């Protein structure tokens, strides 16, 4: 079977840092084109827009949408209607409701739609899930605190409506949480701090629970300088489990269980190839639905303006 | 078959104005008890709380939860686990995500869970749906403008986080919209105006669309004095359709088609009895998901404080 010919749409930081190296090391898929207004990749066919790429007749089988979430829905619909498989960076869209028509379009066209959650491919995630299937969780604390100026330098879209602000990184924690816990969770309260000049929050506290009353607390900050924190602590009836460094490391009562090499995007592309081969889609909206609920139910406060 | 013995939980304005008269006129169901901290119904068994009612051994088959949305999830879970059918007033919860565990609990217990949208039982709704199945919509305008001081006198919960503010009435419009249109819709933009002293919006503009690009605009206001407006206008390839007065009236190119007697809650209770007889549930979260998305994607502004 010849490799899946993939086009990257939106050649920004995440595409260069993660997608291109992962595609290069994944069997069954190869980079065939790039659609990006401001950037190109040496030796790869280049188009300014997805529109232009699709109109060109360039032979591609699939697209990876690495554009900001606010523009992804229209691109995904266009690609599916043109008979292409679609991989969506996280979050899968600017809203939860815009995904249902895309799922229907993928079904109608017989193509794969894959809403990726890269953190779910971190090395500690599946071992943590297995542990929590055996040892009941008693409480969960999420600490997701990073410096937006380091990790999202100059990214204005993240502060615009639909850009999620601090929830852009924190949705990674929620994607892990919803994978490792044995039961579905829901938001019970939230507090969101909006910079006075921005439409997305810079910090938040979110309380969640499951139907058994498991207490879950998430503390999120986008202005953390010094050491960066992407940790999930779970107290269980079998001791304390900690996923650290965004899921790269796993500790049980402070003893290291996993200290893995980060290879999230290689996992994503292996799964994408597998989904296409199976004629299947994979769209889990739970993490984005939790964020929408935090906005819905959250108290708001205004804090000082943010500028890069 | 003996009638379903129903308990109303939360004997407030909506329970007195709508539920009690509708139950009285519906075959197959009767009011057997009330759980309400501050109010009782003459001649009906009374308990202060749902907890006390369930502990009493009072023989009931079902509960109608007319309490504020912020407390309904825990009550619904308790009732389902006690083997009771559950009817939820709108909105079905304070968040979208809290509903999935309730749906699972209803399935596990074999009981009916009915998330009601009373406006869907308005007389113009099914005729409008039939019209729009035949005549393609070209644009939709929703105007939902009412005086909160008249319709929600003193209701503080509506202004609290999870109380929805102006979306408490506007979700009725969205429940009609999602019933009458031929395709699913999603939010593309929103602007929410929050009183400086409140956690829920007093006014909003919401833009929506479907996968074919149908433009939908909703204009929502909670401070409308004088004439009150609950109208949905749909321009179609077969003329202009207007649902007026919250769906009580239907016009085609200004000619009246329907001028119905309002009987929404009688319709709700007939459907609840039917669902219980069939062993089925009916939980459509689309209207609440659209509201969550409007909060997620919406720009925010602060307006003058609100006091009753």
């Amino acid at each position: 079977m010849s490799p899946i010919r993939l086009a990257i749409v939106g050649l920004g930081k995440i595409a260069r840092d993660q997608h291109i190296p992962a595609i290069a090391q994944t069997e069954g898929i190869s980079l065939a084109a790039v659609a990006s207004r401001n950037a190109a990749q040496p030796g790869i066919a280049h188009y300014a827009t997805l529109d232009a790429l699709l109109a060109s007749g360039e032979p591609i089988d699939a697209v990876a949408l690495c554009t900001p979430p606010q523009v992804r829905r229209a691109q995904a619909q266009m690609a599916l209607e043109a008979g292409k498989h679609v991989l969506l960076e996280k979050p899968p869209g600017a809203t939860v409701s815009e995904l249902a028509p895309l799922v229907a379009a993928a079904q109608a066209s017989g193509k794969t739609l894959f809403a990726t959650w890269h953190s779910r491919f971190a090395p500690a995630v599946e071992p943590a899930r297995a542990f929590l299937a055996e040892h009941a969780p008693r409480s969960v604390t999420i600490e997701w605190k990073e410096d937006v100026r380091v990790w999202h330098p100059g990214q204005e879209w993240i502060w615009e409506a639909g850009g999620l602000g601090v929830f852009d990184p924190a949705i990674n924690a929620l994607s892990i949480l919803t994978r490792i816990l044995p039961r579905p969770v829901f938001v019970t309260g939230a507090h969101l701090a909006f910079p006075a000049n921005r439409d997305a929050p810079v910090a938040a506290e979110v309380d969640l629970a499951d139907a058994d009353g498991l207490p879950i607390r998430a503390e999120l900050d986008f202005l953390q300088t010094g050491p960066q924190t992407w940790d999930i602590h779970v107290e269980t009836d079998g001791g304390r489990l900690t996923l650290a460094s965004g899921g790269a490391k796993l500790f049980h009562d402070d003893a290291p269980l996993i200290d893995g090499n980060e290879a999230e995007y290689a996992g994503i592309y292996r799964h994408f190839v597998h989904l296409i081969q199976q004629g299947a889609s994979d769209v889990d909206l739970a993490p984005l639905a939790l964020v929408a609920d935090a906005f819905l139910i959250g108290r708001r406060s205004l804090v000082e303006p943010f500028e890069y």
Side-chain angles (χ1 to χ4, degrees), chain A:
Chain A
M1 195 163 147
S2 52
I4 296 153
R5 296 162 297 185
L6 178 82
I8 287 181
V9 183
L11 192 63
K13 180 169 167 55
I14 195 73
R16 291 185 181 285
D17 291 355
Q18 299 288 353
H19 287 257
I20 287 178
I23 294 159
Q25 71 185 81
T26 304
E27 297 250 352
I29 194 162
S30 65
L31 183 63
V34 163
S36 195
R37 208 168 287 275
N38 300 312
Q41 181 72 359
I44 301 290
H46 177 263
Y47 300 86
T49 64
L50 174 60
D51 238 351
L53 166 59
L54 294 174
S56 73
E58 177 83 35
I60 60 162
D61 306 302
V63 298
L65 301 182
C66 304
T67 41
Q70 295 96 328
V71 302
R72 245 181 249 145
R73 190 208 65 78
Q75 293 175 335
Q77 182 178 340
M78 192 189 306
L80 288 167
E81 288 176 355
K84 313 303 179 191
H85 307 289
V86 173
L87 180 153
L88 298 168
E89 246 300 345
K90 49 80 31 178
T95 65
V96 178
S97 50
E98 72 187 38
L99 271 295
L102 293 181
V103 170
Q107 282 173 343
S109 68
K111 297 297 167 184
T112 291
L113 178 65
F114 179 21
T116 66
W117 299 107
H118 63 80
S119 292
R120 287 187 176 172
F121 292 87
V125 172
E126 292 307 312
R129 175 181 165 93
F131 186 94
L132 294 172
E134 300 294 324
H135 303 281
R138 303 205 177 287
S139 69
V140 181
T141 306
I142 296 170
E143 292 183 281
W144 222 257
K145 300 178 179 181
E146 68 177 46
D147 187 342
V148 65
R149 292 183 174 90
V150 171
W151 302 101
H152 302 273
Q155 288 180 8
E156 295 293 337
W157 63 264
I158 214 165
W159 296 106
E160 290 165 9
L164 298 189
V166 73
F167 283 93
D168 180 78
I171 204 168
N172 296 332
L174 297 174
S175 76
I176 293 175
L177 184 78
T178 47
R179 176 70 189 160
I180 64 175
L181 288 182
R183 278 176 296 279
V185 299
F186 48 88
V187 177
T188 59
H191 177 218
L192 313 181
F194 286 75
N197 62 336
R198 300 288 183 171
D199 285 314
V202 66
E205 294 149 15
V206 185
D207 289 305
L208 306 98
D210 70 6
D212 287 358
L214 176 69
I216 304 166
R217 167 70 59 118
E219 296 175 2
L220 317 178
D221 189 10
F222 227 170
L223 297 179
Q224 170 101 337
T225 54
Q228 307 282 290
T229 311
W230 299 285
D231 295 347
I232 301 176
H233 305 282
V234 189
E235 300 290 344
T236 80
D237 65 12
R240 179 181 173 92
L241 198 70
T242 296
L243 292 88
S245 305
K249 301 178 184 189
L250 187 65
F251 297 89
H252 179 221
D253 288 338
D254 299 327
L257 291 183
I258 302 274
D259 189 354
N261 286 320
E262 192 280 302
E264 296 176 4
Y265 281 80
I268 281 179
Y269 277 99
R270 277 197 305 275
H271 189 50
F272 190 40
V273 169
H274 179 74
L275 287 170
I276 291 171
Q277 287 169 347
Q278 302 293 312
S281 284
D282 180 349
V283 181
D284 178 8
L285 300 180
L288 186 59
L290 293 174
V291 175
D293 279 344
F295 277 73
L296 177 67
I297 206 178
R299 289 178 301 112
R300 290 170 176 70
S301 61
L302 288 186
V303 296
E304 61 185 62
F306 174 85
E307 300 294 348
Y308 280 107

